[in-house]
């Protein structure tokens, strides 16, 4: 059999282009994901960053004093921030990335706390630094949000909800965290059994749904066959990068800046 040079060259070129095309497609996909999750953060202008403009000057000044006193007594850092937008991501993902970006909390203690309010998405979150997760637990954070913050937010009282939330968080971290843990535990123990049954039923439904889908796919694509589509690793945005190197910004909030603390997603969220 005679091989024509043109066909040989075309075949070699096609094989050479295949990996390049696949690599280019993968890079384009990664670039699109990175662009979609390139969040922007408001500047750290003080211990109260009212980017959404929902706090009056008197409330903002009173909160600044409380948060400054808290830092002077404990060396921990506590910042209240209101956001115009979560930019399409969850408040959980935005919250810990904001804490790392600002570097709230002492670097060697990771003693930072954020109270985040996104009024347009009707979301609120208490973001807790690594070093404070043992006292300001997820359960305690949830208790504060549901008992102190959300009832006031539902009534349109943003200033009251934020102030009460700040007071409770400071009390947890300066008075007796164990008492708050017991209150959170009692609240969990008193949850109606019907709630547990509903959660169990939902988990059971999801399990059987996924199991049926996998069974159908295995029948449609037996071992040894290949199906089309992307088969590479799944990239989970929001999990890139390590701890913050700290904030070097010094602005109008009395020279306030982050101390280099880091966050790992501890805390709780709520909506109204």
């Amino acid at each position: 059999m005679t091989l024509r040079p043109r066909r040989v060259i075309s075949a070699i070129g096609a094989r050479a282009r295949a990996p390049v095309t696949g690599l280019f497609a993968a890079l384009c996909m990664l670039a699109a994901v990175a662009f979609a999750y390139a969040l922007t953060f408001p500047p750290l202008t003080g211990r109260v960053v009212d980017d959404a403009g929902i706090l009056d000057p008197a409330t903002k000044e009173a909160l600044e004093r409380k948060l400054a006193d808290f830092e002077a007594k404990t060396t921990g850092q506590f910042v209240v921030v209101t956001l115009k937008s979560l930019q399409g991501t969850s408040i959980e993902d935005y919250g810990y990335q904001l804490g790392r970006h600002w570097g709230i909390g002492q670097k060697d203690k990771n003693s930072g706390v954020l109270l985040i309010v996104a009024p347009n998405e009707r979301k609120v979150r208490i973001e807790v630094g690594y070093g404070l997760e043992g006292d300001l637990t997820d359960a305690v954070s949830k208790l504060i949000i549901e008992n102190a913050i959300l009832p006031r937010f539902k009534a349109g009282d943003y200033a009251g909800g934020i102030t009460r939330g700040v007071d409770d968080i400071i009390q947890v971290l300066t008075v007796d965290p164990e008492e708050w843990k017991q209150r959170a535990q009692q609240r969990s123990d008193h949850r109606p059994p019907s709630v547990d049954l509903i959660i169990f039923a939902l988990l059971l439904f999801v399990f059987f749904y996924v199991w049926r889908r996998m069974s159908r796919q295995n029948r449609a694509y037996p071992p040894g066959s290949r199906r089309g589509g992307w088969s590479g690793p799944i990239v989970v945005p929001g999990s890139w990068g390590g701890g913050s190197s700290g904030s070097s910004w010094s602005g109008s909030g009395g020279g306030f800046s982050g101390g280099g603390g880091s966050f790992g997603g501890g805390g709780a969220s709520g909506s109204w």
Side-chain angles (χ1 to χ4, degrees), residues 61-140:
E61 183 179 352
L63 289 171
E64 287 272 7
R65 288 196 301 268
K66 288 182 181 181
L67 300 176
D69 290 343
F70 169 78
E71 183 172 352
K73 293 177 181 177
T74 67
T75 72
Q77 291 187 319
F78 187 176
V79 174
V80 172
V81 54
T82 70
L83 301 170
K84 294 178 182 177
S85 170
L86 292 173
Q87 301 171 40
T89 189
S90 67
I91 195 169
E92 292 81 9
D93 192 44
Y94 191 99
Y96 91 87
Q97 293 197 54
L98 176 63
R100 290 185 173 190
H101 177 76
W102 280 350
I104 302 303
Q106 300 302 321
K107 186 175 183 179
D108 57 337
K109 298 180 180 179
N110 294 315
S111 53
V113 183
L114 294 174
L115 176 55
I116 307 168
V117 181
N120 290 326
E121 289 90 348
R122 304 176 73 85
K123 299 287 184 181
V124 60
R125 178 164 179 80
I126 297 174
E127 193 71 42
V128 184
Y130 285 119
L132 300 179
E133 290 181 358
D135 291 334
L136 189 57
T137 64
D138 295 357
V140 171

Side-chain angles (χ1 to χ4, degrees), residues 1-5 7-8 11 15:
M1 182 178 66
T2 303
L3 295 176
R4 297 182 180 180
R7 289 185 179 179
V8 172
R15 290 185 179 182

Side-chain angles (χ1 to χ4, degrees), residues 8 31 35 54 72 92 124 132 135 138 141 146 174 178 191 194 199-200 211 226 232-233 243 249 252 256 258 270:
V8 172
F35 178 79
I54 60 175
E92 292 81 9
V124 60
L132 300 179
D135 291 334
D138 295 357
S141 299
E146 294 190 349
T174 58
E178 296 304 319
R191 185 172 61 181
S194 59
I199 294 175
F200 176 76
W211 177 76
R226 291 188 61 186
W249 187 90
S252 60
F256 177 74

